Amino acid sequence: QKEVEQDPGPLSVPEGAIVSLNCTYSNSAFQYFMWYRQYSRKGPELLMYTYSSGNKEDGRFTAQVDKSSKYISLFIRDSQPSDSATYLCAMSPLSYDKVIFGPGTSLSVIP
Amino acid sequence: ETGVTQSPTHLIKTRGQQVTLRCSSQSGHNTVSWYQQALGQGPQFIFQYYREEENGRGNFPPRFSGLQFPNYSSELNVNALELDDSALYLCASSLRQGGNNEQFFGPGTRLTVL
Protein backbone atom coordinates (compact mmCIF):
# COMPACT_ATOMS: atom_id res chain seq x y z
CA GLN A 1 0.00 0.00 0.00
CA LYS A 2 1.36 3.41 -0.98
CA GLU A 3 1.67 6.01 1.78
CA VAL A 4 -0.53 8.48 -0.09
CA GLU A 5 -3.30 7.49 -2.51
CA GLN A 6 -5.02 9.84 -4.93
CA ASP A 7 -7.40 9.18 -7.80
CA PRO A 8 -5.39 10.13 -10.92
CA GLY A 9 -8.49 11.07 -12.93
CA PRO A 10 -8.70 12.63 -15.41
CA LEU A 11 -11.55 14.68 -13.98
CA SER A 12 -13.54 16.88 -16.36
CA VAL A 13 -16.10 19.44 -15.11
CA PRO A 14 -18.03 22.36 -16.65
CA GLU A 15 -17.01 25.91 -15.80
CA GLY A 16 -18.62 27.09 -12.56
CA ALA A 17 -18.85 23.60 -11.02
CA ILE A 18 -17.67 22.73 -7.54
CA VAL A 19 -14.69 20.39 -7.70
CA SER A 20 -13.81 17.91 -4.97
CA LEU A 21 -10.33 16.38 -4.89
CA ASN A 22 -9.37 13.79 -2.31
CA CYS A 23 -6.43 11.86 -0.88
CA THR A 24 -6.11 9.07 1.63
CA TYR A 25 -2.99 8.17 3.55
CA SER A 26 -1.74 5.38 5.76
CA ASN A 27 0.88 7.03 8.01
CA SER A 28 -0.81 8.35 11.16
CA ALA A 29 2.32 10.42 11.90
CA PHE A 30 1.48 12.93 9.15
CA GLN A 31 0.60 16.30 10.68
CA TYR A 32 1.23 18.82 7.89
CA PHE A 33 -0.95 18.70 4.79
CA MET A 34 -0.57 20.60 1.56
CA TRP A 35 -2.17 20.96 -1.83
CA TYR A 36 -0.13 21.94 -4.86
CA ARG A 37 -1.26 22.84 -8.38
CA GLN A 38 1.01 21.92 -11.27
CA TYR A 39 0.54 23.17 -14.80
CA SER A 40 2.04 21.20 -17.65
CA ARG A 41 5.84 21.47 -17.78
CA LYS A 42 5.94 23.70 -14.69
CA GLY A 43 6.93 23.21 -11.05
CA PRO A 44 4.25 22.65 -8.40
CA GLU A 45 2.67 25.79 -6.92
CA LEU A 46 1.61 25.77 -3.26
CA LEU A 47 -2.14 26.36 -2.89
CA MET A 48 -3.01 25.40 0.68
CA TYR A 49 -1.02 24.50 3.78
CA THR A 50 -2.70 23.17 6.92
CA TYR A 51 -1.61 21.69 10.22
CA SER A 52 -3.51 18.80 11.81
CA SER A 53 -7.28 18.36 11.42
CA GLY A 54 -9.75 21.05 10.42
CA ASN A 55 -10.73 23.33 7.58
CA LYS A 56 -8.94 26.20 5.89
CA GLU A 57 -10.42 28.54 3.32
CA ASP A 58 -8.62 30.80 0.86
CA GLY A 59 -10.76 32.47 -1.78
CA ARG A 60 -12.37 29.79 -3.93
CA PHE A 61 -10.33 27.03 -2.30
CA THR A 62 -11.17 25.09 0.87
CA ALA A 63 -8.92 22.40 2.35
CA GLN A 64 -10.24 19.85 4.82
CA VAL A 65 -8.26 17.40 6.92
CA ASP A 66 -9.79 14.49 8.83
CA LYS A 67 -6.95 12.76 10.64
CA SER A 68 -9.25 10.20 12.26
CA SER A 69 -10.17 8.90 8.79
CA LYS A 70 -6.74 9.68 7.25
CA TYR A 71 -8.53 11.64 4.54
CA ILE A 72 -7.92 15.09 3.10
CA SER A 73 -9.90 17.08 0.56
CA LEU A 74 -9.60 20.18 -1.57
CA PHE A 75 -12.75 21.93 -2.79
CA ILE A 76 -12.69 24.44 -5.63
CA ARG A 77 -15.77 26.66 -5.94
CA ASP A 78 -16.83 28.37 -9.17
CA SER A 79 -14.18 26.48 -11.13
CA GLN A 80 -12.53 28.31 -14.03
CA PRO A 81 -10.76 27.05 -17.17
CA SER A 82 -7.54 28.43 -15.64
CA ASP A 83 -7.94 25.85 -12.85
CA SER A 84 -7.18 23.10 -15.39
CA ALA A 85 -4.02 21.48 -14.05
CA THR A 86 -2.77 18.54 -12.02
CA TYR A 87 -3.49 18.79 -8.29
CA LEU A 88 -1.06 17.13 -5.92
CA CYS A 89 -1.76 16.42 -2.28
CA ALA A 90 1.29 16.29 -0.04
CA MET A 91 2.00 15.66 3.61
CA SER A 92 4.80 15.36 6.15
CA PRO A 93 5.09 14.10 9.73
CA LEU A 94 7.10 16.93 11.15
CA SER A 95 7.88 20.50 10.38
CA TYR A 96 10.97 20.62 8.09
CA ASP A 97 10.59 16.91 7.31
CA LYS A 98 10.47 15.32 3.87
CA VAL A 99 7.21 15.82 2.04
CA ILE A 100 5.38 12.82 0.60
CA PHE A 101 3.28 13.49 -2.49
CA GLY A 102 0.31 11.73 -3.97
CA PRO A 103 0.42 10.88 -7.69
CA GLY A 104 -1.80 13.84 -8.61
CA THR A 105 -5.27 14.28 -10.10
CA SER A 106 -5.59 15.78 -13.58
CA LEU A 107 -8.44 18.31 -13.74
CA SER A 108 -9.97 19.89 -16.84
CA VAL A 109 -12.52 22.70 -16.52
CA ILE A 110 -14.50 23.01 -19.74
CA PRO A 111 -15.74 26.50 -20.75
CA GLU B 1 11.85 39.01 -4.01
CA THR B 2 13.01 36.45 -6.54
CA GLY B 3 11.55 32.97 -6.72
CA VAL B 4 13.30 29.62 -6.99
CA THR B 5 15.29 29.22 -10.19
CA GLN B 6 16.84 26.10 -11.71
CA SER B 7 19.31 25.46 -14.49
CA PRO B 8 19.48 24.10 -17.06
CA THR B 9 15.89 23.83 -18.25
CA HIS B 10 16.49 20.72 -20.31
CA LEU B 11 19.36 18.27 -20.49
CA ILE B 12 20.10 15.18 -22.56
CA LYS B 13 22.71 12.68 -21.38
CA THR B 14 23.68 9.12 -22.22
CA ARG B 15 23.71 6.18 -19.87
CA GLY B 16 26.76 6.08 -17.61
CA GLN B 17 27.43 9.82 -17.75
CA GLN B 18 27.33 12.22 -14.82
CA VAL B 19 25.12 15.31 -14.48
CA THR B 20 24.98 18.38 -12.23
CA LEU B 21 21.77 20.33 -11.76
CA ARG B 22 21.64 23.73 -10.07
CA CYS B 23 19.12 25.57 -7.93
CA SER B 24 18.95 29.07 -6.48
CA SER B 25 16.71 29.33 -3.44
CA GLN B 26 14.09 31.99 -2.91
CA SER B 27 15.55 35.04 -1.20
CA GLY B 28 15.75 34.56 2.57
CA HIS B 29 15.26 30.78 2.49
CA ASN B 30 17.81 28.53 4.22
CA THR B 31 16.60 25.03 3.34
CA VAL B 32 16.50 23.30 -0.01
CA SER B 33 14.93 19.96 -0.93
CA TRP B 34 15.32 18.02 -4.16
CA TYR B 35 12.64 15.86 -5.75
CA GLN B 36 12.43 13.55 -8.75
CA GLN B 37 9.16 13.52 -10.69
CA ALA B 38 8.64 10.78 -13.26
CA LEU B 39 6.05 11.32 -15.96
CA GLY B 40 2.52 11.00 -14.55
CA GLN B 41 3.74 10.64 -10.96
CA GLY B 42 4.02 12.89 -7.95
CA PRO B 43 7.43 14.22 -6.90
CA GLN B 44 9.58 11.83 -4.85
CA PHE B 45 11.84 13.21 -2.13
CA ILE B 46 15.57 12.75 -2.82
CA PHE B 47 17.19 14.73 0.03
CA GLN B 48 17.12 17.99 1.93
CA TYR B 49 19.92 20.40 2.87
CA TYR B 50 19.90 22.82 5.77
CA ARG B 51 22.87 25.04 6.58
CA GLU B 52 25.04 23.13 4.10
CA GLU B 53 24.39 19.74 5.75
CA GLU B 54 22.26 16.89 4.41
CA ASN B 55 19.18 16.71 6.63
CA GLY B 56 17.14 13.73 5.52
CA ARG B 57 17.25 11.45 2.51
CA GLY B 58 14.68 9.48 0.57
CA ASN B 59 15.04 6.06 -0.99
CA PHE B 60 17.69 6.98 -3.57
CA PRO B 61 21.12 5.34 -4.06
CA PRO B 62 24.39 7.07 -3.12
CA ARG B 63 25.06 8.00 -6.75
CA PHE B 64 22.58 10.82 -6.06
CA SER B 65 24.47 13.44 -4.06
CA GLY B 66 24.13 17.12 -3.32
CA LEU B 67 25.66 20.28 -2.02
CA GLN B 68 24.34 23.45 -0.46
CA PHE B 69 26.49 26.57 -0.57
CA PRO B 70 26.78 29.45 1.95
CA ASN B 71 24.43 31.55 -0.19
CA TYR B 72 21.91 28.67 0.07
CA SER B 73 22.11 27.77 -3.60
CA SER B 74 22.35 24.05 -4.23
CA GLU B 75 23.49 21.35 -6.62
CA LEU B 76 22.21 17.87 -7.34
CA ASN B 77 24.76 15.47 -8.80
CA VAL B 78 23.88 12.13 -10.33
CA ASN B 79 26.64 9.69 -11.29
CA ALA B 80 26.46 6.65 -13.57
CA LEU B 81 23.19 7.74 -15.14
CA GLU B 82 20.59 5.07 -15.85
CA LEU B 83 17.65 5.19 -18.25
CA ASP B 84 15.22 5.32 -15.30
CA ASP B 85 16.82 8.58 -14.14
CA SER B 86 14.93 10.34 -16.94
CA ALA B 87 12.55 12.66 -15.08
CA LEU B 88 11.79 16.22 -14.04
CA TYR B 89 14.08 17.24 -11.18
CA LEU B 90 12.61 19.82 -8.86
CA CYS B 91 14.15 21.82 -6.10
CA ALA B 92 12.10 23.48 -3.40
CA SER B 93 13.24 26.10 -0.92
CA SER B 94 11.82 26.92 2.47
CA LEU B 95 12.60 28.94 5.55
CA ARG B 96 13.16 26.83 8.64
CA GLN B 97 11.43 28.96 11.24
CA GLY B 98 8.84 28.03 13.83
CA GLY B 99 6.47 25.32 12.61
CA ASN B 100 6.65 26.35 8.98
CA ASN B 101 7.14 23.69 6.32
CA GLU B 102 5.96 25.61 3.28
CA GLN B 103 8.13 24.65 0.33
CA PHE B 104 8.24 26.68 -2.86
CA PHE B 105 9.24 24.91 -6.04
CA GLY B 106 11.31 25.94 -9.00
CA PRO B 107 10.29 25.17 -12.60
CA GLY B 108 12.44 22.04 -12.71
CA THR B 109 15.11 20.57 -14.95
CA ARG B 110 13.94 17.94 -17.41
CA LEU B 111 16.61 15.25 -17.75
CA THR B 112 16.54 12.72 -20.55
CA VAL B 113 18.92 9.76 -20.40
CA LEU B 114 19.45 7.90 -23.68
Side-chain angles (χ1 to χ4, degrees):
Chain A
Q1 181 187 14
K2 291 185 178 179
E3 278 194 290
V4 182
E5 305 266 11
Q6 187 177 7
D7 186 340
L11 181 62
S12 185
V13 302
E15 183 176 354
I18 297 175
V19 176
S20 173
L21 303 167
N22 310 294
C23 285
T24 59
Y25 62 93
S26 58
N27 188 345
S28 58
F30 289 141
Q31 297 191 73
Y32 295 85
F33 303 91
M34 292 142 277
W35 285 95
Y36 284 85
R37 177 174 63 195
Q38 187 173 26
Y39 292 112
S40 180
R41 299 189 174 277
K42 301 287 187 183
E45 171 193 7
L46 181 65
L47 285 176
M48 301 289 280
Y49 175 82
T50 55
Y51 170 70
S52 196
S53 287
N55 295 354
K56 184 175 182 178
E57 186 174 323
D58 184 1
R60 296 186 295 112
F61 299 91
T62 299
Q64 289 185 350
V65 175
D66 182 350
K67 289 185 67 180
S68 63
S69 302
K70 298 190 181 66
Y71 189 87
I72 70 170
S73 301
L74 177 71
F75 297 95
I76 306 174
R77 292 183 299 280
D78 187 24
S79 56
Q80 302 295 310
S82 58
D83 294 329
S84 298
T86 295
Y87 288 80
L88 299 157
C89 65
M91 46 201 79
S92 64
L94 299 170
S95 162
Y96 319 129
D97 208 340
K98 66 179 181 181
V99 176
I100 306 299
F101 283 83
T105 298
S106 176
L107 171 67
S108 293
V109 180
I110 311 301
Chain B
E1 180 182 282
T2 57
V4 180
T5 60
Q6 291 186 244
S7 63
T9 305
H10 297 90
L11 203 52
I12 298 175
K13 292 285 189 178
T14 56
R15 195 168 49 181
Q17 285 189 309
Q18 178 266 342
V19 68
T20 297
L21 310 180
R22 293 178 175 84
C23 171
S24 290
S25 297
Q26 185 168 312
S27 177
H29 285 182
N30 56 17
T31 303
V32 65
S33 303
W34 285 91
Y35 294 83
Q36 179 195 67
Q37 187 176 23
L39 199 61
Q41 301 295 316
Q44 288 200 11
F45 177 77
I46 302 174
F47 43 56
Q48 181 183 90
Y49 278 81
Y50 170 63
R51 291 185 175 176
E52 303 174 55
E53 297 284 334
E54 187 178 291
N55 182 56
R57 188 178 184 93
N59 189 26
F60 281 81
R63 59 189 185 84
F64 286 79
S65 62
L67 285 172
Q68 186 183 31
F69 300 100
N71 66 354
Y72 302 127
S73 65
S74 177
E75 287 182 355
L76 165 65
N77 299 289
V78 187
N79 294 322
L81 284 166
E82 300 177 359
L83 297 179
D84 284 348
D85 295 334
S86 295
L88 181 68
Y89 287 85
L90 297 159
C91 79
S93 74
S94 55
L95 173 62
R96 179 170 289 203
Q97 181 172 305
N100 193 321
N101 193 25
E102 296 184 29
Q103 297 189 6
F104 297 89
F105 282 81
T109 293
R110 186 162 298 280
L111 172 65
T112 302
V113 182
L114 303 176

